[in-house]
Amino acid sequence: MNQEELKSSYPRFSPKGTRSGTTLPQVSPNNASLMNGRPASRKPQARGVKRDIEKLWEVINQQQAVIERQHQEIERIQRMVEPMSDVLKRYTDQAERRMYKKMDKQSSDQIKTNTRIDNALAALRRAKANSDEKARVFTDQIQQLHSQLQFLNEEIFGDPAGGVPEE
């Protein structure tokens, strides 16, 4: 709401005259009961009522001035805060983009590391399978050698144990 709208929505009142076609209500014996909520059985003192109405208009005008000053202060603060709001929004947007970039980089680095570890693990499994196979072949060869030694020992010495200790 701009200043003109504010002034037009809250007109200043004056007990002495009019403003923008607004006049003070006239107190007459016919509408006195409407003004104070009591029947118009007693005739109010015109001077005392007029003074009370003037005081009420002064209070209304003072309150209106306070409202206008508060509205102006609110607008001033909003103008001060608006640039800061824009700066903070840009900063948070930049920080968010940096965070997303950092997370993407960390994610891709972690994927690369996981891939290297998976490849190394697969190579180790292949090496273990290869060494297990070689160990099995070596054990089979030792068993064959042991059988051949036992056979040769029996042939030469005729003794099944033949001095070769069995395992």
Side-chain angles (χ1 to χ4, degrees):
M1 183 180 282
N2 65 25
Q3 194 68 18
E4 279 69 33
E5 290 174 344
L6 180 66
K7 285 183 180 177
S8 66
S9 64
Y10 296 107
R12 284 206 180 273
F13 296 100
S14 170
K16 305 252 190 262
T18 64
R19 181 174 190 262
S20 329
T22 306
T23 61
L24 287 175
Q26 298 295 321
V27 178
S28 68
N30 295 336
N31 65 2
S33 63
L34 298 175
M35 293 296 284
N36 59 14
R38 292 181 290 178
S41 61
R42 287 192 295 161
K43 199 170 192 181
Q45 293 178 349
R47 187 172 293 266
V49 172
K50 185 176 180 181
R51 197 172 329 132
D52 290 344
I53 290 174
E54 288 175 355
K55 286 180 183 177
L56 287 174
W57 284 123
E58 286 177 21
V59 170
I60 289 172
N61 288 334
Q62 289 171 354
Q63 290 175 347
Q64 180 64 37
V66 168
I67 289 171
E68 286 177 9
R69 282 192 306 270
Q70 288 174 345
H71 178 72
Q72 289 172 352
E73 183 66 16
I74 288 170
E75 284 182 341
R76 185 184 69 81
I77 290 172
Q78 284 176 338
R79 284 190 304 269
M80 286 173 37
V81 169
E82 190 173 327
M84 290 188 317
S85 173
D86 293 343
V87 167
L88 289 175
K89 182 172 179 2
R90 281 193 307 270
Y91 176 78
T92 54
D93 290 347
Q94 288 173 354
E96 184 179 22
R97 282 192 299 274
R98 282 193 306 266
M99 186 59 69
Y100 280 132
K101 277 184 177 180
K102 186 176 181 180
M103 288 172 46
D104 288 343
K105 185 180 181 311
Q106 287 177 343
S107 177
S108 66
D109 289 348
Q110 188 64 44
I111 288 171
K112 289 176 186 175
T113 302
N114 288 351
T115 303
R116 279 195 307 267
I117 290 172
D118 286 344
N119 291 340
L121 196 57
L124 287 173
R125 285 186 181 134
R126 285 191 302 271
K128 182 183 181 299
N130 191 14
S131 66
D132 286 349
E133 179 62 25
K134 286 181 181 180
R136 188 188 62 74
V137 167
F138 186 68
T139 305
D140 288 346
Q141 287 175 349
I142 289 176
Q143 274 300 25
Q144 275 182 340
L145 243 163
H146 184 60
S147 336
Q148 288 174 355
L149 279 176
Q150 217 173 11
F151 175 74
L152 287 174
N153 196 21
E154 285 177 16
E155 285 248 341
I156 295 176
F157 299 109
D159 186 6
V164 177
E166 287 196 27
E167 293 180 16

